[in-house]
Amino acid sequence: MSTFIKDFIEQETVSRRNFLLASAAGVGSMALPMAFGQGAAFAAENPALAWSYRDRASAYWNAVVSGGENFVESLGKTKDDMTSLINEGSSEKSLADIKAFLAKNSGNCAIACDANDSPNARPVVEAVKAAGGYISTIWNKTDDLHPWDIGDNYVSHMTWSDEKPAEDTARILFAAMGNKGGVVHLGGIPANNPAVERLNGLKNALKDFPDIELLDAQPADWDTTKAAELMASFITRYGDKITGVHCANDNIAYGVLEALKAEGIEGMPIVAYDGNPEAVQMVMDGKLLCTVFTNPYWGGGVSLALAYHAAIGTFKPSEEPNEHREFYGPTVLVTKDDAAAFKAKYMDAIPTYDWSDFWGPSNGGIVYK
């Protein structure tokens, strides 16, 4: 087992929130701004809860929403007390659904959201602010949009530092290719922050490998079916020039494998991203070289928890440092050497998370910065 994964597993604790903001943002150990129930000025009572996301068919988003549901259950509610606002990959639907949810609940809302693409984040958070609700976002926003510029209603934004992990997957891919040949990249939605960063990671790695050519890079919109169609077109165009495939997420890798199987191509080196259970198993079976885990279950729970506790007045976002309002989540590379132990820890049994342990002591830097 690699030291990286071994250290991560050993440092993971029952209180996963202790690893949260201080560790991910690189700040030190910090105490709670105020204890629950001790002098908190509650801003709202029983806010309506929602998660806005792409779809639940994806293992990644299913894990995100399951984390949100677990947080809701920790409040003594049922998972049905959290509304799923499914945008189906449409930024317009994402905004419209959130506006409708705000109107239905007179703005008394706590929302967690992936805005679907970066430009959509601003109108989403501005709509929430105008209605008096509270929102935490993940993954997608423009670089000029910050929670502290919007106010307390925009509680926090969490993303993952994708360039370095994607670069590492590329280097693993290139080694399997014998440091020469042709690679294709199948990406996510073009205006999606993780899609941009994962392609950048590949390009960063290519600088050190002059004998590897990037034959093509096209968006597959995070979708298995689109990835299968795109990979089939790559095979038609480039044929045996393709000796390796860099995928922006696991769903894309599944489509690539379908296309290769249809052409009778076996043993093609492929790397992926997201750390879904199926992908981890494929790494164990040798079908994928590696994937990258971002703990979507935890991300889904903590994002909704932050919005909720800001809404009820447990803490005031504007009184927190900027590092508590924009931060990175943990990112872990999973290879064949690590996959079995990783699966036992995170797939066979879901760790128990304390959703109320804000900004606890850092466990150390098992994150990409």
Side-chain angles (χ1 to χ4, degrees):
M1 183 187 303
S2 75
T3 300
F4 187 78
I5 291 289
K6 183 173 183 291
D7 288 349
F8 181 87
I9 291 174
E10 289 177 352
Q11 292 184 44
E12 189 78 344
T13 63
V14 170
S15 177
R16 180 63 180 78
R17 290 290 299 280
N18 284 346
F19 183 77
L20 168 62
L21 305 178
S23 175
V27 299
S29 170
M30 297 192 69
L32 270 163
M34 62 176 71
F36 292 129
Q38 298 179 5
F42 292 98
E45 292 185 2
N46 197 31
L49 304 169
W51 238 111
S52 173
Y53 59 98
R54 189 167 298 118
D55 64 70
R56 198 152 188 174
S58 160
Y60 176 84
W61 286 110
N62 185 61
V64 168
V65 179
S66 295
E69 290 172 343
N70 183 265
F71 161 68
V72 172
E73 290 173 331
S74 77
L75 300 175
K77 300 175 182 291
T78 71
K79 62 178 64 176
D80 293 335
D81 289 312
M82 187 192 81
T83 299
S84 284
L85 303 176
I86 301 173
N87 62 48
E88 300 172 347
S90 167
S91 298
E92 293 77 12
K93 189 174 189 302
S94 172
L95 179 58
D97 286 351
I98 287 173
K99 285 183 174 180
F101 184 73
L102 291 164
K104 178 181 179 181
N105 295 285
S106 301
N108 185 22
C109 303
I111 302 169
C113 171
D114 169 40
N116 190 60
D117 65 22
S118 301
N120 194 44
R122 184 175 292 278
V124 163
V125 299
E126 288 179 345
V128 172
K129 178 181 180 178
Y134 290 81
I135 187 168
S136 293
T137 59
I138 69 170
W139 282 120
N140 288 296
K141 73 171 186 64
T142 54
D143 291 341
D144 63 349
L145 176 65
H146 304 290
W148 50 87
D149 291 333
I150 300 298
D152 286 334
N153 302 91
Y154 188 8
V155 181
S156 64
H157 177 76
M158 175 166 56
T159 190
W160 285 258
S161 182
D162 283 342
E163 282 197 19
K164 183 60 168 62
E167 179 180 335
D168 288 345
T169 67
R171 291 178 183 276
I172 290 171
L173 175 65
F174 297 164
M177 293 166 58
N179 298 330
K180 61 182 179 180
V183 63
V184 291
H185 171 84
L186 293 85
I189 296 171
N192 219 242
N193 280 359
V196 172
E197 291 190 357
R198 293 173 195 182
L199 177 56
N200 286 344
L202 169 64
K203 291 178 178 178
N204 290 343
L206 282 166
K207 296 173 185 177
D208 294 333
F209 294 86
D211 293 330
I212 291 183
E213 179 185 3
L214 177 58
L215 298 171
D216 213 331
Q218 299 291 336
D221 296 347
W222 307 119
D223 184 74
T224 297
T225 300
K226 290 182 180 179
E229 295 169 352
L230 179 58
M231 188 64 201
S233 71
F234 282 164
I235 293 170
T236 298
R237 182 173 182 180
Y238 299 106
D240 58 10
K241 289 183 179 179
I242 302 172
T243 55
V245 185
H246 191 267
C247 300
N249 79 343
D250 294 338
N251 286 347
I252 290 171
Y254 307 152
V256 167
L257 287 166
E258 287 179 13
L260 292 172
K261 182 178 180 180
E263 295 294 330
I265 300 172
E266 297 181 357
M268 176 75 71
I270 305 167
V271 296
Y273 209 111
D274 276 352
N276 291 332
E278 298 87 347
V280 172
Q281 186 62 52
M282 288 179 178
V283 172
M284 293 173 63
D285 295 340
K287 295 179 181 179
L288 297 175
L289 293 173
C290 61
T291 185
V292 177
F293 182 69
T294 58
N295 204 338
Y297 184 91
W298 169 78
V302 73
S303 295
L304 188 56
L306 285 165
Y308 171 81
H309 283 293
I312 67 171
T314 303
F315 73 99
K316 189 175 178 62
S318 59
E319 293 179 354
E320 297 301 321
N322 290 351
E323 293 87 348
H324 282 182
R325 303 187 70 185
E326 280 189 15
F327 49 87
Y328 286 133
T331 308
V332 180
L333 185 67
V334 183
T335 68
K336 189 170 185 178
D337 290 342
D338 312 311
F342 191 84
K343 179 176 180 293
K345 178 70 178 181
Y346 289 98
M347 309 303 172
D348 297 339
I350 299 174
T352 300
Y353 301 123
D354 179 358
W355 304 118
S356 66
D357 178 18
F358 287 104
W359 306 301
S362 169
N363 278 331
I366 310 300
V367 290
Y368 285 94
K369 298 293 179 62

